[in-house]
Amino acid sequence: MVTRPRERSEELCFLLEDEGAEVLHVPLLELLPPEDPRPLVAAAESIQRYKWVVFASPSGVEALMEALREAGTVETLSRVRIAVVGPRTARTVEGYGLNVTVESPEGTGAALYEVMRPGLDPEDEVLLPAAEEGRREIEDALREHGARVTRVTAYRSRPVPLPPEAQALLESSPPDVALFASPRTAEAFLEAVGRERLGAARLVAIGPTTAAALTHLGLPVASVAERPTPEAFVEATVRAIRG
């Protein structure tokens, strides 16, 4: 299994183990602050100018909240409409005492745009705190609608070396199923391990964006989670195993 944020990975591991799976958790990325924090700082200092803030991940929420705390503008965010991709991002927002205006039914930027569109006016100022290497679906859709989008790097990811014991285990016992929680982890896995280590494993994606990335890399996808949640991820894994 290859995933991203530690908390989500641990929850997923517990759920899979409850189903009787033997899980090898392989961290492939570490999250870091942006190399140039000034755009994020400037956005936090002028948060009142935005009508919308769009979050695609819990990490984006946490990065902006930290910048708002340092700028002393946390309270101002309560007057801004918040749009999120996925229930976990929504829970992270709500954990800060904030309300989510709209949430995408699927884990994609395109799905989020569709639910934002009825309340989105041309010329609306939209802040998008995103991963440095994050996809641009939602940004492109908002710009095409006429919104004024400010995209700032909230965090970046960097590959980490595969632990020797994990490398040895993958060589001696290829997995029956491999779970991917983001396009970046799929790329990092191939860079660190190589596709031959997957053997005949069934591949499971957390959502359509990750599934598309796997397909683009030439890897067949056995199952896709219907929602970007650990529970839906486990259900997709069971479907992949049962065919």
Side-chain angles (χ1 to χ4, degrees):
M1 178 184 70
V2 285
T3 56
R4 282 191 62 188
R6 179 176 298 274
E7 182 182 348
R8 181 172 69 187
S9 300
E10 291 176 350
E11 182 180 356
L12 180 57
C13 286
F14 292 146
L15 291 172
L16 288 168
E17 289 168 350
D18 285 344
E19 293 289 334
E22 183 179 342
V23 180
L24 172 62
H25 176 215
V26 185
L28 293 172
L29 300 171
E30 63 175 339
L31 300 185
L32 302 170
E35 290 184 319
D36 181 3
R38 289 174 295 181
L40 181 61
V41 170
E45 290 174 345
S46 59
I47 193 67
Q48 72 283 347
R49 65 176 278 201
Y50 300 102
K51 186 172 182 179
W52 292 88
V53 174
V54 174
F55 293 114
S57 71
S59 298
V61 178
E62 292 161 0
L64 181 62
M65 293 305 299
E66 179 61 27
L68 291 169
R69 278 196 294 267
E70 293 181 359
T73 54
V74 171
E75 293 184 1
T76 307
L77 188 59
S78 64
R79 299 193 289 272
V80 179
R81 296 180 182 179
I82 298 177
V84 302
V85 174
R88 190 166 189 84
T89 306
R91 289 198 296 269
T92 303
V93 168
E94 291 163 354
Y96 286 100
L98 299 165
N99 295 319
V100 173
T101 306
V102 294
E103 175 188 340
S104 64
E106 302 174 17
T108 66
L112 179 58
Y113 167 70
E114 289 301 323
V115 295
M116 284 183 67
R117 186 168 58 175
L120 185 68
D121 296 323
E123 306 298 321
D124 276 357
E125 294 276 359
V126 180
L127 175 63
L128 179 58
E132 183 177 61
E133 64 283 350
R135 297 174 67 87
R136 298 185 177 270
E137 289 175 324
I138 184 65
E139 179 183 1
D140 292 344
L142 291 170
R143 291 189 188 280
E144 186 173 344
H145 186 91
R148 298 180 178 179
V149 181
T150 300
R151 180 190 176 106
V152 296
T153 296
Y155 62 96
R156 56 194 171 95
S157 63
R158 180 173 65 187
V160 297
L162 191 69
E165 58 273 20
Q167 181 79 42
L169 187 56
L170 286 169
E171 291 177 358
S172 63
S173 180
D176 296 312
V177 183
L179 283 65
F180 291 92
S182 75
R184 189 73 181 94
T185 51
E187 296 166 359
F189 183 88
L190 293 185
E191 292 170 5
V193 181
R195 68 186 65 223
E196 66 276 3
R197 294 289 180 262
L198 288 172
R202 299 177 180 90
L203 307 189
V204 182
I206 198 169
T209 301
T210 302
L214 288 166
T215 301
H216 180 73
L217 292 168
L219 299 172
V221 178
S223 185
V224 182
E226 295 178 356
R227 298 261 295 164
T229 66
E231 294 80 7
F233 215 173
V234 172
E235 291 172 2
T237 303
V238 172
R239 290 198 302 272
I241 293 170
R242 294 177 178 173

